[in-house]
Amino acid sequence: PNPVREGQLLRLVIPADILDADIILYDLLGRRIWHRRVALTGGMPQSRLKVFSVQQEFRNLASGTYILSVRSQGRIVFRQKLLFFR
């Protein structure tokens, strides 16, 4: 969902062939705020997409707009603006 509240579950829809990725949250100045390296499993056998969920407590995150980026093998596979508020 967007806007995002503290402690909310984020669901990302990404290509099914992605096996591992870096999930990175940036502020609007391009500074990395949060990073997690993940192994992505699951997805439907014949599906071209899979849904990956991540839950993170952003207790120190100020209300505002951020960029969520998922990178794998040097390319961006998902990017979205997030509006975070308390």
Side-chain angles (χ1 to χ4, degrees):
N2 203 0
V4 176
R5 295 179 192 266
E6 183 177 352
Q8 191 164 6
L9 185 68
L10 301 175
R11 292 204 170 123
L12 312 174
V13 178
I14 59 173
D17 62 338
I18 302 300
L19 300 177
D20 59 4
D22 292 292
I23 302 173
I24 308 165
L25 186 69
Y26 297 97
D27 66 11
L28 289 180
L29 296 176
R31 296 178 294 203
R32 186 177 1 186
I33 304 299
W34 177 81
H35 172 258
R36 181 185 291 175
R37 178 90 174 147
V38 295
L40 304 173
T41 59
M44 303 293 285
Q46 283 110 14
S47 176
R48 300 172 91 185
L49 300 173
K50 65 177 143 186
V51 177
F52 176 74
S53 298
V54 62
Q55 184 162 8
Q56 177 65 34
E57 297 288 330
F58 295 110
R59 291 191 175 104
N60 297 326
L61 196 61
S63 294
T65 303
Y66 296 86
I67 306 295
L68 181 70
S69 180
V70 179
R71 298 182 63 93
S72 180
Q73 300 175 348
R75 66 184 173 109
I76 296 172
V77 295
F78 178 90
R79 179 179 277 171
Q80 181 176 353
K81 282 186 187 177
L82 294 178
L83 178 61
F84 180 83
F85 68 95
R86 296 190 174 276

